[in-house]
Amino acid sequence: MATSSQTSSGVLPLHRSPQARPTTVPAVFRAAARILAANGLYQGDFVPDAFDREMCVPHFLRPMSIVAALKCATTGDPHLTSLLADKAIAVLALRLEVDGEGPLFGGIFDLEAHVDAWGDLEGRTTESAVSMLEAAAGACGVAA
């Protein structure tokens, strides 16, 4: 006799599976690095064509900003936030310098803006963003 979970035909895609979601800040950094490596870094906004005027590709498959990748790693959607995503953004913002400065204020929107400013610097590449996230994950793992 099969149970309802065994007979269910609804299979969740990996990005929607709760088992695939990270549960620690280093895991969020690693997951976001994988997302950026697969999709690419986008500068200027969370994702290109956020209002779907020109693209019909789902947002989680588009190039995205570092902040969007952190949110997507925890929620499956680059626009949705979570406490873990906010914590990862805060930890990352305090590690990054933009023009020799850290974040100006400690509110989540200020911290997001600081991380975005780092990702939006001219010449910033997907590879450098992925490397930075992997280094942050390693540093958090050592500190823990």
Side-chain angles (χ1 to χ4, degrees):
M1 179 174 180
T3 65
S4 63
S5 64
Q6 291 171 325
T7 59
S8 174
S9 62
V11 175
L12 292 174
L14 184 59
H15 74 282
R16 299 256 188 231
S17 171
Q19 291 84 11
R21 297 229 172 97
T23 57
T24 65
V25 170
V28 172
F29 291 152
R30 287 184 193 95
R34 287 192 305 270
I35 290 169
L36 287 180
N39 296 7
L41 176 68
Y42 184 69
Q43 296 177 311
D45 201 353
F46 276 13
V47 295
D49 190 30
F51 296 108
D52 301 325
R53 293 185 179 121
E54 299 173 5
M55 299 174 80
C56 60
V57 175
H59 289 208
F60 68 89
L61 294 176
R62 296 180 189 182
M64 59 185 72
S65 71
I66 296 167
V67 170
L70 292 166
K71 291 180 178 194
C72 192
T74 60
T75 66
D77 185 320
H79 304 288
L80 296 179
T81 194
S82 70
L83 291 174
L84 185 56
D86 287 350
K87 185 175 180 180
I89 290 165
V91 168
L92 193 59
L94 295 175
R95 288 183 50 87
L96 298 176
E97 288 187 359
V98 178
D99 297 327
E101 300 282 332
L104 296 177
F105 301 102
I108 189 61
F109 296 118
D110 299 312
L111 298 172
E112 284 183 10
H114 184 72
V115 173
D116 277 338
W118 187 90
D120 288 347
L121 287 173
E122 188 175 333
R124 183 72 62 212
T125 64
T126 298
E127 292 78 16
S128 64
V130 168
S131 294
M132 178 273 301
L133 287 167
E134 289 172 348
C140 285
V142 169

